[in-house]
Amino acid sequence: MTNVVVVGAQWGDEGKGKIVDWLSEQADIVVRYQGGHNAGHTLVIDGVTYKLSLLPSGIVRGGKLSVIGNGVVVDPFHLIDEIDRLRTQGVTITPHELKLADNATLILPLHRELDAFREGSNSGTKIGTTKRGIGPAYEDKVGRRAIRVRDLAEPDALGPKVERLLAHHNALRRGMGLNEVDAGALIQLLKDVAPKVLPYMDRVWDTLDHARRDGKRILFEGAQGALLDVDHGTYPYVTSSNTVAGQAATGSGLGPGAIGFVLGIVKAYTTRVGEGPFPSELFDEIGRQIGERGKEFGTVTGRARRCGWFDAVLVRQTIKTSGIDGIALTKLDILDGFSEIKVCVGYRLDGHVIDYLPASESAQKRLEPVYESIPGWVDSTAGARSWADLPAEAIKYVRRIEELIGAPVSLLSTSPERDDTILVKNPFEA
């Protein structure tokens, strides 16, 4: 048995929810290790749709332990709301099913306000954030002034910590023309939410270490995608955390030796939400058709996603930066019926062809895609559960993608339904 990390290998929205749900049935523990409630997962189980943005996907499966690791920034108010909403759908959530790292950073209302003000201002770079306070919370974490989950258990010590936090934020707010945050009101807010959050608090690193030593199967669930990684993504149009697979170790408290298999989730085409470069983006009727067929709207924001052809250059790069062992290819059925399908196999930059994404922001904006054309297929792939159910041209497309990205397909998803999956290699048994 091995432990598995699931990571998005594009800009997010690759269909991780279904794959994580499929794998979570075999896992004992499901761990979220980065991000916050800015990245949504949609699960369809027995005809019931569950929308998650902070809780691990395993929470909807009985008998699993769900863990929110220290690498996640946690809005305590959203956490309680999401728990309450899932309970109305019949999901059991108690401290027995859910553990929250005591050293996780909290997202506070002042973080949301700062995020929204920056994104809505007329100056600076618009990143296209969800305005949920993720970035400002991570800023406070690395600035060593954050309020953490453990602090809720020590109300008498909150005063100096809040003052330290507000020394920074109130100076910012004065400069932006915003009202200062009242320390007393913020402390009271934290004291009020504490009894609802603290029952879930845990030494996650220790719990996971014991589970690993006991031979439990651990599934690490990434949010967003590797191309939004703060180091390896399309900077500055990225999120505020590391989204590559290596963060599973740092963001959970387990060492990297606990990771056995890295599964990258990849759409059969490419999408992106928000601002930033997108070399293979389509602005024509084909792009519109892909968006409509794929229902490409954000789970959290409802924003329409930008759509384009599959970009093998980007995926090949994320396979290297995340150490991906195999991929789960999703939404192949969305390409049904196209007579011709294109794949981006390189970029033209200032007259030269390159095979990587340059780190330079200005260079990324000047990239022109170099395409390879592949014959499409007429027959439907929707709901296929074996290679024999696929048109020959669809199989050729999958095999060509494997060649271009340098990684094998471990799973092939042909619809949102969990059982519409072709299994090549089970990551837990690799």
Side-chain angles (χ1 to χ4, degrees):
M1 294 190 296
T2 188
N3 299 322
V4 177
V5 177
V6 173
V7 60
Q10 293 161 311
W11 278 295
D13 309 309
E14 302 95 348
K16 291 184 292 296
K18 169 188 169 175
I19 303 300
V20 168
D21 175 58
W22 190 88
L23 290 169
S24 69
E25 195 167 48
Q26 305 172 58
D28 300 299
I29 302 173
V30 183
V31 183
R32 271 287 306 273
Y33 57 84
Q34 53 76 219
H37 63 305
N38 55 334
H41 287 170
T42 300
L43 308 179
V44 181
I45 302 173
D46 297 329
V48 179
T49 299
Y50 302 92
K51 292 185 180 294
L52 309 176
S53 54
L54 181 59
L55 294 172
S57 296
I59 200 70
V60 300
R61 293 283 175 188
K64 313 292 179 184
L65 174 62
S66 291
V67 172
I68 299 176
N70 56 276
V72 180
V73 285
V74 179
D75 184 325
F77 309 99
H78 176 89
L79 174 65
I80 299 306
D81 287 346
E82 192 167 321
I83 288 173
D84 290 343
R85 176 168 50 79
L86 287 178
R87 281 176 175 158
T88 66
Q89 293 185 275
V91 179
T92 300
I93 305 177
T94 71
H96 180 71
E97 287 84 23
L98 177 65
K99 302 294 183 183
L100 171 63
D102 58 357
N103 54 341
T105 292
L106 295 178
I107 299 174
L108 306 176
L110 57 84
H111 294 128
R112 295 195 301 270
E113 293 166 9
L114 178 58
D115 203 359
F117 181 86
R118 285 173 172 170
E119 196 64 24
S121 69
N122 294 322
S123 61
T125 300
K126 284 184 170 55
I127 303 299
T129 77
T130 56
K131 304 178 184 178
R132 296 197 165 193
I134 310 298
Y138 274 117
E139 290 176 36
D140 284 343
K141 177 179 179 176
V142 299
R144 300 178 295 276
R145 54 180 173 264
I147 305 298
R148 307 200 296 178
V149 173
R150 167 56 63 179
D151 295 328
L152 298 178
E154 302 170 356
D156 293 340
L158 275 173
K161 296 173 183 177
V162 168
E163 291 293 344
R164 178 181 61 195
L165 176 71
L166 294 186
H168 171 80
H169 277 274
N170 279 339
L172 274 179
R173 295 172 74 93
R174 286 193 298 270
M176 295 185 295
L178 299 175
N179 293 332
E180 294 188 15
V181 175
D182 178 73
L186 179 55
I187 290 171
Q188 188 58 52
L189 196 66
L190 293 171
K191 288 181 177 179
D192 290 344
V193 79
K196 301 177 181 179
V197 173
L198 288 176
Y200 303 100
M201 185 177 71
D202 186 65
R203 292 191 312 278
V204 161
W205 59 270
D206 193 41
T207 297
L208 292 177
D209 180 67
H210 281 290
R212 181 180 66 84
R213 294 176 185 276
D214 290 342
K216 302 293 186 182
R217 284 182 168 183
I218 304 174
L219 178 62
F220 299 90
E221 175 185 6
Q224 301 159 298
L227 290 170
L228 293 174
D229 186 274
V230 70
D231 288 306
H232 300 287
T234 48
Y235 191 90
Y237 301 97
V238 293
T239 193
S240 300
S241 62
N242 287 112
T243 58
V244 293
Q247 177 64 17
T250 306
S252 67
L254 278 180
I259 298 171
F261 190 95
V262 179
L263 181 69
I265 316 299
V266 181
K267 269 180 185 166
Y269 51 96
T270 311
T271 63
R272 177 166 198 168
V273 171
E275 305 298 324
F278 187 168
S280 66
E281 184 173 8
L282 294 170
F283 301 94
D284 56 10
E285 179 64 15
I286 292 178
R288 185 189 65 79
Q289 287 180 11
I290 290 175
E292 289 182 354
R293 291 182 184 182
K295 297 180 175 59
E296 296 296 351
F297 298 93
T299 301
V300 170
T301 64
R303 291 181 293 183
R305 298 176 184 136
R306 301 153 63 190
C307 298
W309 293 121
F310 185 86
D311 191 328
V313 181
L314 292 180
V315 175
R316 184 169 61 244
Q317 193 157 324
T318 59
I319 281 172
K320 294 177 180 179
T321 57
S322 273
I324 291 171
D325 298 297
I327 68 167
L329 188 65
T330 67
K331 292 198 167 185
L332 181 67
D333 55 303
I334 304 305
L335 299 181
D336 291 353
F338 286 113
S339 60
E340 179 188 50
I341 298 171
K342 294 183 179 181
V343 175
C344 178
V345 296
Y347 303 131
R348 187 169 287 105
L349 175 63
D350 302 333
H352 301 282
V353 175
I354 61 175
D355 62 355
Y356 63 94
L357 178 74
S360 164
E361 178 185 359
S362 61
Q364 290 174 5
K365 293 178 180 178
R366 300 197 306 275
L367 295 176
E368 299 175 17
V370 176
Y371 287 120
E372 175 181 307
S373 293
I374 300 175
W377 54 90
V378 176
D379 296 334
S380 174
T381 64
R385 297 184 180 182
S386 72
W387 289 108
D389 295 333
L390 296 176
E393 293 81 2
I395 295 175
K396 290 178 183 177
Y397 179 72
V398 173
R399 295 307 186 200
R400 183 57 179 149
I401 284 178
E402 289 180 318
E403 293 173 355
L404 290 169
I405 65 176
V409 170
S410 296
L411 295 94
L412 184 64
S413 172
T414 56
S415 94
E417 294 296 330
R418 70 186 305 276
D419 292 329
D420 292 340
T421 304
I422 300 172
L423 175 64
V424 180
K425 175 187 286 186
N426 188 334
F428 275 119
E429 299 173 358

